[in-house]
Amino acid sequence: MIKKIITLIKKKNTVSNSYSIHILHKEADFLIKKLFEELSELLICFNKYNINKGCFNRYFLIKEICDILYHLLLFIVYNNFSFLEIEKEFLRRSSISGAEEKIFR
Ligand SMILES: N=c1c2ncn([C@@H]3O[C@H](COP(=O)(O)OP(=O)(O)OP(=O)(O)O)[C@@H](O)[C@H]3O)c2ncn1[C@@H]1O[C@H](COP(=O)(O)O)[C@@H](O)[C@H]1O
């Protein structure tokens, strides 16, 4: 699905009524600021629907998570990375534990 959304975003052009195009035409650092904004929304949502407060609503959180992932995908497209490059890095990491990988950073 992630690969599919990247392809969908890449196919969009200026004539389409596209939110992705609208965002991709902003300043270079706009997407990073947008990601901070989306992360803050997740934090607010998490605090509001915190399981300990007894009103945990998984769906609200899922929607916030999707907003973050979507804007991260826009960042990937904006910077001309391919899905394959990201996948390759994850594949490399999958062969070693995170703790082990941390030593080599
Ligand atoms: N998955 C998404 C997706 N998730 C979130 N969003 C957009 O991101 C917005 C969420 O951001 P905010 O919470 O900041 O909402 P906002 O305050 O209205 O946004 P701003 O005006 O502040 O930028 C939503 O209102 C959607 O417009 C998405 N827009 C598009 N996609 C995917 O991208 C494809 C292409 O979409 P378009 O580029 O719009 O054609 C779609 O078919 C979907 O698959």
Side-chain angles (χ1 to χ4, degrees):
M1 195 63 205
I2 285 179
K3 199 173 174 180
K4 199 174 161 184
I5 295 171
I6 290 182
T7 309
L8 251 170
I9 295 168
K10 282 184 174 171
K11 275 190 189 157
K12 295 283 165 181
N13 56 53
T14 42
V15 291
S16 50
N17 179 23
S18 159
Y19 178 81
S20 314
I21 292 292
H22 166 72
I23 297 292
L24 291 172
H25 277 89
K26 300 268 185 187
E27 308 251 310
D29 62 353
F30 179 85
L31 267 168
I32 296 178
K33 290 176 189 158
K34 191 76 193 164
L35 277 163
F36 272 110
E37 184 192 307
E38 295 301 337
L39 280 167
S40 312
E41 284 174 16
L42 177 66
L43 180 64
I44 292 165
C45 193
F46 182 71
N47 286 334
K48 207 166 164 186
Y49 299 102
N50 196 317
I51 198 162
N52 298 322
K53 291 177 188 157
C55 56
F56 185 62
N57 188 324
R58 273 179 84 78
Y59 185 54
F60 278 109
L61 286 173
I62 286 170
K63 289 208 288 189
E64 294 302 337
I65 291 166
C66 284
D67 279 353
I68 294 167
L69 281 176
Y70 164 70
H71 285 90
L72 193 58
L73 295 183
L74 281 182
F75 182 80
I76 288 168
V77 172
Y78 188 101
N79 291 287
N80 244 332
F81 293 117
S82 69
F83 179 77
L84 204 71
E85 283 175 285
I86 311 288
E87 195 176 46
K88 254 169 97 175
E89 175 60 13
F90 268 119
L91 264 172
R92 185 192 68 77
R93 291 180 186 193
S94 68
S95 59
I96 52 169
S97 82
E100 205 180 328
E101 203 260 357
K102 197 174 163 63
I103 298 165
F104 297 104
R105 284 204 175 196

